Amino acid sequence: MKTRKFILPEHRMPSAWYNIVADMPRKPLPPLHPATRQPLTHADLSVLFAEELAAQELSTERYIEIPDQVQALYRIWRPAPLVRAIELEKALDTPARIYFKNESVSPAGSHKPNTAVPQAYYNHRQGIRRLATETGAGQWGTSIAFAARHFGMEVQVFMVKVSYEQKPYRRLMMSTWGADCVASPSRLTAAGRTALDRDPGCSGSLGLAISEAVETAMRRPEDTRYCLGSVLNHVLLHQTIIGEEALMQMEMADDEPDVVIGCFGGGSNFAGIGFPFLRRNFREGKRIRVVAVEPASCPKLTRGAFQYDFGDTAGLTPLLPMYTLGHEFQPADIHSGGLRYHGAGSIVSQLLRDGHIEAQSVAQTEALGAGVLFARTEGIIPAPESTHAIAAAVREALRAREEGRPRTILFNLSGHGMIDLYAYQQYLAGALKDHAPTDREIARTVGRLERIL
Ligand SMILES: *Cc1c(COP(=O)(O)O)cnc(C)c1O
């Protein structure tokens, strides 16, 4: 009988994160201070983030030790299983072998606690008592609420309004863990009030919610710091535990991926599954394809420009070198809230620019169709975000069938969709529409960017 699950014992959980910057042939360009346009220093970053996180953001060390207290909390759900998707293979009648890393087993139901726990830990260790952050679909808000509770910290979450209304259950998870969650735009901040005065019906965006959270943290430097669930180097770093485990588990399976796939919002779960495999390309001369999958409605990797841009709508964050649709880009209200972000992290952007990774886009009906197929074969109802990775894996498996050539596919199941059933209701009712911005829409927001490069 074929083995379905590859389970690492707790004592084999990796004890270091992997910093891909150490191995990149061309390093990412530096983040710039929004006012001076000079490269950011550790001191600049420490105003917003915990000292240790600021250091990790700029680090070029190949490995960074995972603190014992973080490892202990990781063990609530880690190591996460690697699963051979045997039933999906059968349904696709493919010669490909398909594996997925199941990150839906965390308390919050996604990969995000992998970085929420160390972020809360490093802030707490420095005496910070309150965290301010934003959340799209609510996955990050729930993850930081869970992690901060463990260290007795307060959390103020700004949740993108469209999700706040569509996803009351994530709000309730945050409340259960004791965080304070408001809809963004809110009247608590100047950025929120400006947006509401301009358009009272504004459904919000991740970029705008970031502006509100950054402003909240900057107003109380004595006890509050900002934290972010994606995009930044230190966030991608923490997620590499996913791929480090998967490397060992693929070895247990006596197999090796030809292609590694992750869905793409700001890049963290993609980096998590992909970077340890890219290390094999850089250091061992392997040629593993690593593929990022974004929604067709928010196509920064496949249709955006490589430019310095802000992480938020109001232009308060550092300027990052990234593939971007422009920080004023308003993506359509698709169900994958976690993928509605205008830009990509700077490491991932540099890797794409240099041809080390690939990017694809998938429309939401194709994605959710793949999600339903996955649910009906493997049983797990995936997060709408994760269905983008599944759709790309299905494309690969069908290509293997057409070509009559086996291959090994690994994708990251970044989360489950038990709190996103509304998306499935819409899909099953045939009510979902696909959205893609026109070239003119993209050119308008990209065209407004200041040309720094
Ligand atoms: C947040 C989220 C994503 C997208 O964020 P990345 O930083 O690109 O990983 C993908 N899947 C799930 C389940 C999420 O919660």
Side-chain angles (χ1 to χ4, degrees):
M1 206 182 291
K2 283 180 195 163
T3 304
R4 282 183 191 256
K5 290 192 302 303
F6 300 89
I7 307 280
L8 281 175
E10 280 187 18
H11 72 267
R12 288 193 63 203
M13 191 180 78
S15 60
W17 295 299
Y18 170 54
N19 182 7
I20 198 171
V21 175
D23 290 323
M24 287 169 71
R26 297 205 326 154
K27 309 298 179 201
L29 298 169
L32 303 181
H33 192 286
T36 64
R37 304 292 195 258
Q38 291 302 305
L40 278 187
T41 62
H42 181 262
D44 297 328
L45 283 165
S46 308
V47 178
L48 266 186
F49 301 103
E51 301 269 345
E52 187 60 34
L53 297 170
Q56 290 176 0
E57 190 61 24
L58 301 174
S59 172
T60 55
E61 291 290 313
R62 182 170 289 121
Y63 292 102
I64 294 177
E65 283 297 309
I66 306 175
D68 284 349
Q69 263 186 284
V70 172
Q71 289 194 38
L73 284 175
Y74 272 176
R75 289 182 188 204
I76 292 176
W77 74 97
R78 304 207 73 85
L82 178 85
V83 184
R84 170 99 182 258
I86 294 172
E87 302 305 321
L88 178 62
E89 289 171 14
K90 277 190 212 153
L92 295 171
D93 188 24
T94 175
R97 291 183 296 281
I98 307 175
Y99 298 82
F100 65 94
K101 181 72 171 156
N102 187 358
E103 290 295 316
S104 79
V105 297
S106 79
S110 77
H111 65 288
K112 292 208 172 69
N114 296 333
T115 185
V117 168
Q119 290 196 42
Y121 166 79
Y122 289 122
N123 274 284
H124 172 70
R125 203 182 62 175
Q126 187 185 319
I128 298 298
R129 300 212 326 269
R130 181 167 168 260
L131 296 172
T133 196
E134 74 292 331
T135 193
Q139 292 276 22
W140 171 241
T142 54
S143 301
I144 198 72
F146 149 73
R149 172 55 34 203
H150 195 84
F151 298 101
M153 303 169 84
E154 281 175 43
V155 182
Q156 176 72 64
V157 181
F158 294 90
M159 184 167 184
V160 179
K161 193 191 278 167
V162 51
S163 297
Y164 188 89
E165 284 159 5
Q166 274 179 8
K167 306 195 170 181
Y169 292 113
R170 289 242 165 71
R171 232 155 71 200
L172 285 167
M173 288 169 75
M174 288 183 240
S175 305
T176 304
W177 277 311
D180 184 16
C181 174
V182 295
S184 167
S186 77
R187 294 220 152 258
L188 296 180
T189 66
R193 288 188 295 271
T194 304
L196 285 172
D197 290 345
R198 204 183 296 155
D199 172 15
C202 176
S203 61
S205 71
L206 214 43
L208 179 53
I210 295 174
S211 303
E212 292 206 88
V214 167
E215 189 185 322
T216 301
M218 302 225 282
R219 240 191 280 129
R220 269 171 55 179
E222 65 285 2
D223 68 347
T224 307
R225 287 293 180 279
Y226 170 66
C227 56
L228 186 63
S230 185
V231 179
L232 297 175
N233 299 355
H234 67 270
V235 179
L236 274 54
L237 171 80
H238 300 153
Q239 293 295 352
T240 59
I241 184 136
I242 301 172
E244 292 295 348
E245 286 180 3
L247 271 176
M248 291 195 265
Q249 289 163 311
M250 288 303 301
E251 228 164 79
M252 289 167 78
D254 198 19
D255 208 343
E256 198 173 41
D258 297 297
V259 54
V260 177
I261 299 169
C263 69
F264 197 98
S268 77
N269 90 90
F270 165 75
I273 190 88
F275 285 4
F277 288 94
L278 279 175
R279 178 178 65 224
R280 304 200 65 192
N281 289 359
F282 288 140
R283 294 176 65 80
E284 297 168 38
K286 297 271 181 189
R287 295 173 67 177
I288 302 165
R289 291 172 53 217
V290 181
V291 181
V293 191
E294 62 186 5
S297 58
C298 198
K300 60 255 180 182
L301 297 175
T302 53
R303 297 175 63 199
F306 186 85
Q307 284 289 341
Y308 269 99
D309 194 7
F310 295 106
D312 67 325
T313 311
L316 296 175
T317 69
L319 281 156
L320 300 172
M322 50 159 76
Y323 278 96
T324 179
L325 296 164
H327 59 274
E328 293 175 279
F329 181 80
Q330 274 277 0
D333 290 348
I334 55 162
H335 286 281
S336 299
L339 306 185
R340 293 177 76 239
Y341 186 65
H342 67 272
S346 54
I347 294 177
V348 173
S349 294
Q350 188 66 45
L351 290 168
L352 180 65
R353 202 178 179 207
D354 295 339
H356 299 299
I357 62 171
E358 300 169 32
Q360 292 179 12
S361 72
V362 172
Q364 72 171 346
T365 48
E366 181 184 345
L368 277 154
V372 169
L373 174 65
F374 187 77
R376 290 178 182 178
T377 49
E378 295 300 318
I380 302 169
I381 298 177
E385 290 84 358
S386 315
T387 63
H388 292 74
I390 299 172
V394 168
R395 286 179 180 176
E396 284 292 334
L398 293 178
R399 195 167 317 132
R401 184 173 76 186
E402 270 164 38
E403 295 171 0
R405 271 204 312 226
R407 71 195 65 178
T408 300
I409 301 166
L410 167 64
F411 73 87
N412 192 40
L413 183 74
S414 55
H416 68 65
M418 299 302 281
I419 307 176
D420 306 287
L421 292 174
Y422 181 65
Y424 285 90
Q425 181 190 31
Q426 297 280 296
Y427 175 79
L428 294 171
L432 271 195
K433 288 203 189 69
D434 286 333
H435 308 267
T438 63
D439 289 343
R440 275 185 61 195
E441 279 168 328
I442 293 175
R444 188 157 48 88
T445 46
V446 167
R448 269 191 235 131
L449 294 177
E450 183 188 345
R451 309 271 148 167
I452 296 174
L453 283 171

